[in-house]
Amino acid sequence: MTDSSLTSAHAQLAAEFVERLDLLEESGQVTNLARRLTELCLADLTTALNLTLTEDNAAQFVTHLAIALTRINRGDPEIVMSAVAAEEIADRKREHNAVTSVMRDASRLLQREVPDSEITYMTVHLCGLVDNEGGSSS
């Protein structure tokens, strides 16, 4: 993955989700930093997993990602881990590793660790997108 392909993916995703992210930010549900990180994380995930994300297939994931990053950005209490969610992704190493890597980078900019519970829920959402594209893998 080159810097130019990542930059192109970032621009494309920012344009695709501009209305959703504008609404979330303008309503105070999402911080500006979380919005920018959401766009960067989406670009990294789409290139790493060869996904096509659109408003039609990824609206729920994008909203969850932006709000989760905002909770972390604001220092809100960590959400509780669901054993069911953890079990659901137990064999989804590729997707879990991709989310973990992206969140490691995000944590540096947030200056806070991204909790494992958030990574688990993000991975659950991402697995649904991968499965819908017919690319289920372990």
Side-chain angles (χ1 to χ4, degrees):
M1 157 182 33
T2 65
D3 284 343
S4 64
S5 65
L6 194 54
T7 301
S8 174
H10 178 224
Q12 190 173 27
L13 288 161
E16 177 70 28
F17 296 105
V18 68
E19 290 179 26
R20 171 171 302 282
L21 294 171
D22 280 350
L23 180 64
L24 290 167
E25 186 176 2
E26 289 166 8
S27 68
Q29 294 180 67
V30 170
T31 63
N32 184 263
L33 176 58
R35 177 199 183 131
R36 299 298 170 216
L37 283 174
T38 297
E39 294 168 351
L40 292 169
C41 291
L42 292 172
D44 284 348
L45 290 169
T46 58
T47 53
L49 299 172
N50 195 28
L51 289 173
T52 301
L53 301 182
T54 65
E55 187 65 34
D56 291 335
N57 73 354
Q60 185 178 9
F61 176 62
V62 171
T63 299
H64 176 228
L65 184 60
I67 290 176
L69 289 169
T70 296
R71 280 195 306 267
I72 297 161
N73 183 209
R74 290 179 175 160
D76 291 351
E78 184 176 329
I79 60 172
V80 177
M81 173 78 81
S82 162
V84 172
E87 185 177 312
E88 188 174 322
I89 64 161
D91 65 341
R92 303 298 294 262
K93 302 292 186 218
R94 178 175 165 247
E95 293 86 352
H96 187 263
N97 289 343
V99 173
T100 300
S101 175
V102 167
M103 288 303 114
R104 190 177 315 115
D105 292 341
S107 71
R108 286 187 207 111
L109 294 169
L110 290 166
Q111 297 181 347
R112 297 179 190 278
E113 287 301 311
V114 177
D116 289 338
S117 56
E118 292 286 8
I119 290 171
T120 296
Y121 287 117
M122 290 172 194
T123 304
V124 168
H125 278 282
L126 185 63
C127 288
L129 293 169
V130 169
D131 292 348
N132 285 338
E133 283 205 10
S136 177
S137 64
S138 300

